[in-house]
């Protein structure tokens, strides 16, 4: 699954649902999103069938996302079903329902999770997510760490909102084997993005280095994050510099939305419907290959993304909640 720029694609992110039990301001538009009718969403068996086609084409890593993947009623069945495929299976979750799924994760071979938490302050959590679930998430992170799971904490850093907490997150890595990943704030439909709210990779690194002695760690091929450790600390931290230092040149990721549309890039305007032809008995392999050949070199073809002056007008995409980050 090579594209026109020589990039080989072996990583598929599948969104299980458009719904969520949080309302993060950077992801979910204030007035919500129009939800796809249930009959137009992929069923458990369609997810499995389409995922299997991707594995035949070379995918060997699948990440489940959403919306919040764990709010889907058949989330456990989906994880167990996909676990028989020859893939490394993982999940990105907001952590609220983790305690109900620890056994399923183990049975499905999911031993590493990405968990989103943008603040260590209860009141700020409520402001960002519009839900009072801070304690639940912290308790569940604790369950994961004590249960031997590898936990990466995703923190979307927004200037004027939570950039003051970068040191608190770094302190967390002192004694705990957590991996904190600071993510640059990205523009999507309805999330009121402005370049003034982006706290960049350079900003973050400068801030941390001004206080701590920091060592650079090796990044895996295709890594989206640049990893570091404060010397002597148990855990690590990283920055996902999607906006200011993109990693598009080594991108190996494809996306499948909950309603069965394939996106070749997080920022791609176009998408390829896989579910309808699949339901009609059409071989979707050529559609997948065609979609990959349309992949743009950088940021789905958006030029100079970090300097957009009116993202809502200049970007035509879905809201993040409808893509599956
Ligand atoms: N509900 C799950 C969660 O929050 O982890 C999975 C879906 S969420 C859309 C996936 C990831 O996208 C989360 O880590 C979230 O923080 C990130 N995300 C959402 N909107 C973003 C934005 N505008 N900029 C950067 N990251 C974003
Ligand atoms: Fe829900 Fe995750 Fe989006 Fe927050 S980031 S609204 S938890 S899907």
């Amino acid at each position: 699954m090579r594209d026109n720029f020589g990039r080989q694609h072996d990583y598929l992110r599948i969104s299980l649902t458009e719904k969520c039990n949080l309302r993060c301001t950077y992801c979910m538009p204030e007035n919500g999103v129009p939800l796809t009718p249930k009959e137009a969403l992929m069923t458990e068996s369609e997810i499995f069938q389409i995922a299997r086609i991707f594995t035949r084409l070379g995918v060997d890593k699948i990440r489940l996302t959403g919306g919040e993947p764990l709010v889907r009623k058949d989330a456990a069945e989906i994880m167990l079903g996909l676990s028989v495929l020859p893939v490394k299976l993982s999940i990105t979750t907001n952590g609220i329902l983790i305690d109900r799924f620890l056994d399923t994760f183990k049975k499905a071979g999911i031993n590493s999770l990405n968990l989103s938490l943008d603040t260590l302050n209860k009141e700020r959590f409520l402001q960002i997510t519009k839900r009072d679930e801070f304690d639940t998430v912290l308790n569940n992170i604790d369950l994961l760490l004590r249960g031997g799971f590898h936990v990466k904490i995703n923190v979307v850093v927004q200037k004027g909102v939570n950039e003051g907490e970068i040191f608190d997150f770094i302190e967390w890595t002192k004694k705990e084997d957590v991996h904190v990943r600071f993510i640059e704030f990205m523009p999507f439909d309805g999330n009121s993005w402005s370049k003034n709210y982006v706290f960049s990779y350079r900003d973050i690194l400068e801030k941390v280095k001004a206080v701590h002695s920091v060592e650079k760690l090796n990044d895996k091929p295709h890594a989206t994050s640049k990893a570091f450790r404060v010397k002597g600390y148990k855990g690590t931290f990283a920055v996902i510099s999607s906006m200011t230092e993109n990693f598009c040149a080594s991108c190996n990721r494809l996306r499948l939305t909950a309603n069965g549309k394939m996106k070749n890039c997080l920022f791609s305007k176009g998408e390829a419907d896989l579910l309808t032809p699949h339901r009609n008995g059409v071989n979707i392999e050529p559609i997948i290959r065609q979609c990959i050949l349309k992949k743009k070199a950088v940021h789905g073809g958006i030029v100079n993304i970090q300097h957009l002056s009116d993202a809502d007008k200049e970007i035509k995409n879905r809201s993040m909640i409808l893509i599956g980050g």
Side-chain angles (χ1 to χ4, degrees):
M1 290 200 286
R2 195 176 288 279
D3 72 3
N4 284 327
F5 302 92
R7 294 173 295 198
Q8 190 72 37
H9 294 80
D10 53 16
Y11 178 8
L12 178 67
R13 302 171 71 103
I14 305 178
S15 171
L16 295 191
T17 177
E18 300 175 342
K19 293 187 181 159
C20 190
N21 41 8
L22 294 182
R23 295 282 177 280
C24 306
T25 50
Y26 52 73
C27 175
M28 172 83 97
E30 207 170 346
N31 298 325
V33 283
L35 294 175
T36 304
K38 189 159 189 270
E39 56 280 8
L41 295 172
M42 293 186 293
T43 63
E44 180 196 330
S45 61
E46 285 165 343
I47 291 172
F48 181 75
Q49 290 153 13
I50 295 177
R52 193 166 52 183
I53 294 170
F54 273 96
T55 62
R56 279 208 301 263
L57 292 172
V59 161
D60 60 10
K61 181 173 175 190
I62 290 180
R63 175 172 298 281
L64 303 177
T65 177
E68 170 49 40
L70 298 181
V71 299
R72 197 169 151 145
K73 291 209 168 47
D74 52 2
E77 288 76 15
I78 293 171
M79 286 185 263
L80 294 171
L82 291 174
S83 71
V84 307
L85 293 174
V87 292
K88 180 171 182 333
L89 189 61
S90 49
I91 189 164
T92 300
T93 168
N94 61 27
I96 294 177
L97 299 172
I98 289 281
D99 48 319
R100 303 185 196 169
F101 287 92
L102 293 175
D103 278 353
T104 307
F105 294 150
K106 288 201 169 133
K107 282 187 194 138
I110 297 177
N111 43 31
S112 169
L113 292 93
N114 289 3
L115 203 142
S116 306
L117 178 67
D118 307 308
T119 176
L120 295 171
N121 174 300
K122 195 173 159 72
E123 281 73 45
R124 191 166 291 129
F125 184 93
L126 181 60
Q127 278 163 21
I128 295 174
T129 68
K130 315 266 180 70
R131 296 289 183 271
D132 189 11
E133 295 282 8
F134 179 71
D135 295 332
T136 316
V137 176
L138 273 202
N139 287 337
N140 279 338
I141 293 174
D142 210 45
L143 280 181
L144 287 173
L145 291 172
R146 308 297 148 238
F149 290 91
H150 183 259
V151 182
K152 292 185 195 162
I153 305 289
N154 285 350
V155 184
V156 178
V157 185
Q158 290 174 272
K159 211 186 266 182
V161 177
N162 61 345
E163 96 271 17
E165 291 195 54
I166 287 173
F167 287 121
D168 300 333
F169 278 104
I170 298 278
E171 269 322 283
W172 198 8
T173 68
K174 188 170 185 175
K175 298 226 166 69
E176 199 71 77
D177 192 16
V178 283
H179 305 274
V180 174
R181 306 193 312 164
F182 300 111
I183 308 179
E184 289 179 347
F185 179 33
M186 297 181 277
F188 296 99
D189 265 24
N191 77 349
S192 306
W193 180 91
S194 151
K195 58 186 170 197
N196 301 328
Y197 301 142
V198 176
F199 200 70
S200 74
Y201 163 54
R202 293 281 149 202
D203 296 336
I204 294 169
L205 209 55
E206 257 174 44
K207 196 174 165 106
V208 181
K209 280 186 168 171
V211 172
H212 291 293
S213 175
V214 168
E215 57 183 328
K216 177 80 191 76
L217 304 175
N218 289 334
D219 297 316
K220 291 193 183 136
H222 307 294
T224 54
S225 57
K226 299 169 179 67
F228 303 88
R229 183 196 305 273
V230 173
K231 284 191 186 146
Y233 282 20
K234 205 168 171 193
T236 62
F237 76 96
V239 188
I240 303 185
S241 57
S242 340
M243 300 297 293
T244 61
E245 285 191 27
N246 74 69
F247 28 81
C248 301
S250 63
C251 182
N252 63 341
R253 288 171 295 280
L254 301 170
R255 291 184 153 77
L256 185 61
T257 65
N259 61 356
K261 307 281 194 291
M262 175 177 168
K263 281 177 80 75
N264 58 23
C265 169
L266 192 52
F267 293 106
S268 66
K269 194 163 49 180
E271 33 191 58
D273 184 6
L274 301 185
L275 184 58
T276 311
H278 179 71
R279 282 183 177 174
N280 292 334
V282 174
N283 175 12
I284 60 171
E285 287 190 16
I287 306 173
I288 294 173
R289 290 187 193 283
Q290 201 53 42
C291 181
I292 293 172
L293 290 176
K294 286 186 183 157
K295 182 158 171 158
K296 299 279 200 295
V298 176
H299 285 149
I302 301 166
V303 181
N304 224 353
I305 195 167
Q306 56 174 306
H307 296 300
L308 296 176
S309 51
D310 187 345
D312 278 346
K313 287 211 179 98
E314 289 160 278
I315 293 189
K316 277 289 142 251
N317 194 356
R318 292 169 170 239
S319 298
M320 179 58 128
I321 184 105
L322 296 179
I323 301 173

